[in-house]
Amino acid sequence: MKIFPSRLSNVGTTIFTVMSRLANEHGAINLSQGFPDFSPPALLLERLTHHLHHGANQYPPMAGVAPLRNAIAAKLERLYGASYDPESEVTVTAGATQAIFTAIACCVRPGDEVIVFAPVYDSYIPAIELQGGSVKVINLAPPDFRPDWEKVGAAITAQTRLIILNTPHNPTGTVWTADDMAELARLVRDTDIVLIGDEVYEHILYTGRHESLARTAELRERSFVVSSFGKTYHITGWKIAYCAAPAALTIEFRKVHQFNVFTVHHPSQLALADFMTADPGFAAGLAAFYRAKRDFFRAQLAGSRFELLPSDGTYFHLARYERINDLPDAEFARWLTIEKGVAVIPVSAFMPDGTDYGLIRFCFAKNEATLTVAGEKLRAV
Ligand code: PMP
Ligand code: GLN
């Protein structure tokens, strides 16, 4: 039998899987795929165990359990002054990846155009293409990777259905400002363009404040706002997140959600609801927690031949390696993993046109012991 033509002919295995596998094969310190190597809060684990043993083992409601949706709505109100109805405007998802996929699937049709910014998170473009949408990529350039709003304006056409943004931004650590949001609002005003805010690093920023799409009524009314508990509570393996959107958008979101996942792991939802209620300030402490890690990591690299770019948010850091060699970034990342024992991500993996800025991404969401050993190895390169 001849297998059907691929729906994603240009897609291979994600760079995160490839580099983590290579790190394991070669016993390298894994600063590639973004995940913490430390434990989630003990209370959260205790609540998960509790709910596993107290009956939360069957299907929860399709949109998520009420206590978690209430806790999410309370948080959005507290942080961004945004009023979302937990019943009709908040949906718990199996990770941000599923939330973003579902939001794209419910609004993009063949022929629609979607604007994304590169470096671009790897799941967006395949999700758009699976719906028959066409992608317009706006490249951002080092060292600051700021959006050029004239270019964005020029990319908008009558076919533009959706713009996807990610702030704080993986992999560059760039954080959009209130001026950026005002420019965005100006461009979409009087259009039917929908927005997806990939805000999974909303609590991890080292400058200014997080400019959520939820902050202003004008942007909120056209936005799917997505965040991930994976990043906030050190539980990337739980794959649990949410999408907040006005009722009209949420109705369409849930039409797809109910058929691509239906609902999400029940005991995790209850555990998160308990934890968010018991310790609502945990998320507010993340910025200081990760700032200390970022600064520790930077100190480890002082005296190395890597040149660190700024990182204003996320738990990632970009670095130039031109003082070491002139390999293409993908080859450099493999070489560093195999020969020098530290795995990283090449930034070209986030560039659909393959642009190679000579940059690699480090993940510093690690214990000091891990970062110390990585630092020794990296200073020796
Ligand atoms: N968006 C960005 C920018 C991310 O970095 C990640 C994961 N690291 C995701 C989405 C996906 O989050 P999740 O693991 O909750 O699917
Ligand atoms: N988002 C994580 C990163 O950027 C990886 C998630 C994944 O492996 N899909 O490293």
Side-chain angles (χ1 to χ4, degrees):
M1 175 197 147
K2 197 163 144 270
I3 191 175
F4 51 82
S6 175
R7 298 281 317 278
L8 293 171
S9 50
N10 297 323
V11 167
T13 304
T14 84
I15 188 70
F16 309 118
T17 299
V18 168
M19 294 312 299
S20 275
R21 193 189 296 145
L22 197 68
N24 291 338
E25 274 168 24
H26 293 273
I29 302 207
N30 191 359
L31 305 189
S32 65
Q33 191 178 24
F35 61 88
D37 71 348
F38 37 85
S39 297
L43 176 62
L44 181 57
L45 298 182
E46 185 277 310
R47 294 321 292 160
L48 179 65
T49 315
H50 170 87
H51 289 295
L52 276 169
H53 290 282
H54 289 81
N57 295 303
Q58 311 308 331
Y59 294 127
M62 186 265 276
V65 299
L68 182 55
R69 283 187 281 129
N70 292 341
I72 294 165
K75 167 206 133 165
L76 288 163
E77 175 82 55
R78 194 172 65 245
L79 294 186
Y80 309 127
S83 150
Y84 285 96
D85 172 21
E87 191 51 37
S88 60
E89 301 187 317
V90 176
T91 309
V92 180
T93 62
T97 312
Q98 185 241 316
I100 293 164
F101 191 98
T102 300
I104 290 169
C106 79
C107 68
V108 173
R109 295 162 181 246
D112 286 349
E113 293 174 0
V114 182
I115 295 175
V116 302
F117 298 88
V120 60
Y121 188 62
D122 67 346
S123 79
Y124 305 168
I125 292 179
I128 295 160
E129 290 180 344
L130 281 172
Q131 304 310 322
S134 61
V135 182
K136 285 212 177 166
V137 181
I138 296 185
N139 278 5
L140 308 174
D144 59 358
F145 295 97
R146 300 236 59 95
D148 172 340
W149 290 104
E150 249 173 62
K151 269 198 202 164
V152 183
I156 291 177
T157 72
Q159 278 67 50
T160 307
R161 164 70 58 214
L162 173 67
I163 301 175
I164 307 182
L165 48 125
N166 170 215
T167 182
H169 185 252
N170 174 10
T172 66
T174 304
V175 173
W176 282 20
T177 62
D179 285 349
D180 290 322
M181 291 323 219
E183 290 287 349
L184 178 65
R186 186 178 59 79
L187 289 178
V188 298
R189 201 168 290 147
D190 305 322
T191 75
D192 295 326
I193 296 172
V194 176
L195 304 170
I196 296 178
D198 178 345
E199 305 187 5
V200 301
Y201 301 102
E202 64 182 321
H203 303 293
I204 310 178
L205 78 173
Y206 316 115
T207 173
R209 64 173 200 182
H210 172 57
E211 295 300 334
S212 175
L213 285 175
R215 271 193 197 277
T216 61
E218 186 183 17
L219 288 173
R220 190 159 66 235
E221 69 163 16
R222 58 175 77 237
S223 297
F224 296 98
V225 176
V226 174
S227 186
S228 175
F229 297 111
K231 319 292 167 185
T232 304
Y233 299 114
H234 316 321
I235 49 168
T236 62
W238 291 23
K239 292 301 296 183
I240 183 162
Y242 69 82
C243 173
L249 297 187
T250 295
I251 287 172
E252 296 307 317
F253 183 93
R254 289 185 186 168
K255 285 183 191 173
V256 177
H257 176 78
Q258 67 187 340
F259 294 126
N260 73 353
V261 64
F262 177 57
T263 190
V264 174
H265 194 255
H266 194 169
S268 304
Q269 293 192 50
L270 292 171
L272 280 163
D274 289 351
F275 185 78
M276 286 171 80
T277 310
D279 193 354
F282 181 90
L286 274 190
F289 174 80
Y290 276 119
R291 178 196 292 273
K293 294 212 176 285
R294 180 197 67 171
D295 294 347
F296 186 82
F297 177 69
R298 291 183 71 90
Q300 289 300 311
L301 263 69
S304 79
R305 290 195 290 164
F306 292 94
E307 285 168 69
L308 290 168
L309 273 64
S311 169
D312 290 337
T314 77
Y315 46 49
F316 300 115
H317 218 304
L318 296 187
R320 260 183 230 294
Y321 56 85
E322 68 187 1
R323 291 193 295 211
I324 298 166
N325 63 38
D326 60 3
L327 288 173
D329 67 352
E331 279 175 47
F332 183 86
R334 284 184 64 81
W335 171 80
L336 194 68
T337 307
I338 297 169
E339 304 296 334
K340 304 293 172 184
V342 181
V344 294
I345 300 287
V347 171
S348 65
F350 295 82
M351 302 301 296
D353 65 1
T355 298
D356 181 350
Y357 291 126
L359 293 171
I360 50 164
R361 185 195 81 175
F362 292 102
C363 170
F364 57 79
K366 305 294 170 192
N367 282 308
E368 286 199 357
T370 312
L371 296 175
T372 302
V373 181
E376 280 163 17
K377 290 178 186 282
L378 293 169
R379 286 194 303 277
V381 175

